[in-house]
Amino acid sequence: MTGGVADAVFSGGGVRALAYAGALAAAEAAGYTEWHELAGTSAGAITAAALAVGYDSRTLTERLMDFDLATVAEFGWPRRVAQLSNLLRHHALAGGHSLLGWIEDLLAEAPRPARTFGELGMTLRVVATDLVHQRMVVFPDDAGRYLDPQGIPWTPAAFPIAEAVRMSAGYPFMFAPWRLVDAASGQPGALVDGGIVSGFPVFLFDQPEPKHPTWGFRLDGEQTHGRPIGGPGWPVNLLLALVETSIGVHDRVAAAAFSERTVVIPTGAIPTLQFTLAPADKQALWQAGHDAAAAFFASGPTGQNIYGQRPPAATLPASPTAAVTRPRPL
């Protein structure tokens, strides 16, 4: 079997990102052994960045299986006091410092460590939202719109990957907005989850004459748990419901438009912000990702893009191999 080369775009999904590791295992088994250009939003940005610095499905699975998600919530003790303090100081329940630290470690301990976008040997795009300036921001392309700590516009190559991913993963009201000063106005921006404006830009790498396909990966959870809006915490619940509805609708519209090249992964009723996943939940997420991607690639997708063009058949894997069906034992 010849190895396949592809681009990949990953949507957000919070703590359910472990499903992407399973999907990537199936993609590798289907012959996709090299990723050319990568993009992602929120949890998808973490996945894309991990691939860009050399993680494969096995090593990414290991990192995510072993990671204690509760550490990034920074709830502290007593929990309610810490959350109130963060809301007053950071405009969110958590400051996001632990999340940034974990992303930095993920990049530094990678097979091909990289700190800045310029150090990468491939293309990576990370989508965020600037609430103050009401725009989508794609890093590193838009880095020059903001000032570095010395008051000079950032150059794309010098921008830190971890900071871009942390912004993209900054779920509003859960993690504090990231502050960057706008180069044109001098006004600080508030950068948060890219899913608010474009959580699933599968079209990002499309070309009139594609050399290889772009595959989208999207997490699709059952909305059976709901989000009751009532009680003393109703303002936060209302705002979270607004954010979740906005992100969910955007993802579903994009997925419908690009359904023929999107792996849709059913993640059950596990909430985006459930930071206490049981081992069985982690394994179920991995398996859901694997099974969805295995079925997708077995269907023989062509990779036709927005220009109506397909990559040459010779660039696709010759034939899939048998995929594994379980992650490493927990």
Side-chain angles (χ1 to χ4, degrees):
M1 180 188 71
T2 59
V5 181
D7 302 331
V9 177
F10 300 87
S11 75
V15 302
R16 300 170 294 163
L18 189 55
Y20 286 141
L24 290 169
E28 291 169 6
Y32 289 98
T33 56
E34 182 180 347
W35 300 102
H36 184 255
E37 295 181 298
L38 296 160
T41 297
S42 192
I46 295 174
T47 304
L51 289 178
V53 293
Y55 287 94
D56 58 14
S57 65
R58 180 186 61 82
T59 51
L60 182 58
T61 296
E62 291 174 352
R63 293 297 296 239
L64 294 177
M65 285 286 188
D66 292 338
F67 181 47
D68 181 5
L69 293 164
T71 61
V72 303
E74 301 177 5
F75 287 141
W77 183 260
R79 175 172 173 174
R80 295 301 181 191
V81 172
Q83 289 179 331
L84 177 60
S85 176
N86 282 329
L87 280 172
L88 294 175
R89 293 184 300 150
H90 304 302
H91 304 156
L93 297 176
H97 308 296
S98 296
L99 177 59
L100 175 63
W102 181 77
I103 296 169
E104 290 174 333
D105 290 343
L106 184 74
L107 299 173
E109 298 165 5
R112 300 190 299 269
R115 191 184 66 84
T116 67
F117 282 91
E119 295 172 4
L120 291 174
M122 64 181 307
T123 298
L124 172 67
R125 296 291 181 267
V126 175
V127 181
T129 302
D130 188 338
L131 297 178
V132 172
H133 299 96
Q134 301 178 349
R135 64 193 180 202
M136 178 175 79
V137 183
V138 179
F139 289 98
D141 306 56
D142 294 328
R145 290 186 169 193
Y146 299 96
L147 302 179
D148 67 13
Q150 286 71 47
I152 301 170
W154 280 101
T155 59
F159 200 86
I161 304 167
E163 291 189 19
V165 174
R166 161 62 182 84
M167 294 175 211
S168 184
Y171 199 94
F173 303 104
M174 181 64 228
F175 297 111
W178 194 268
R179 303 294 181 184
L180 283 180
V181 176
D182 181 74
S185 67
Q187 184 178 20
L191 288 104
V192 298
D193 197 317
I196 294 174
V197 289
S198 183
F200 197 46
V202 179
F203 55 85
L204 198 59
F205 303 124
D206 283 353
Q207 300 291 334
E209 297 182 4
K211 296 181 179 180
H212 39 71
T214 295
W215 303 126
F217 296 82
R218 187 179 78 84
L219 305 179
D220 187 27
E222 298 174 7
Q223 303 303 313
T224 57
H225 56 281
R227 180 177 289 282
I229 300 172
W234 74 264
V236 172
N237 290 332
L238 175 60
L239 291 170
L240 287 174
L242 287 170
V243 171
E244 290 177 351
T245 301
S246 173
I247 292 174
V249 169
H250 278 208
D251 278 359
R252 286 180 177 82
V253 170
F258 305 112
S259 60
E260 293 184 356
R261 48 184 173 144
T262 297
V263 179
V264 179
I265 304 171
T267 56
I270 296 175
T272 301
L273 301 179
Q274 182 175 311
F275 293 101
T276 54
L277 287 179
D281 289 332
K282 291 184 176 182
Q283 185 152 339
L285 285 169
W286 190 98
Q287 194 65 45
H290 174 273
D291 292 349
F296 173 82
F297 289 114
S299 71
T302 64
Q304 180 171 305
N305 65 17
I306 59 173
Y307 297 97
Q309 301 299 311
R310 301 177 180 180
T315 66
L316 303 176
S319 61
T321 59
V324 294
T325 57
R326 288 286 183 271
R328 66 174 179 82
L330 298 176

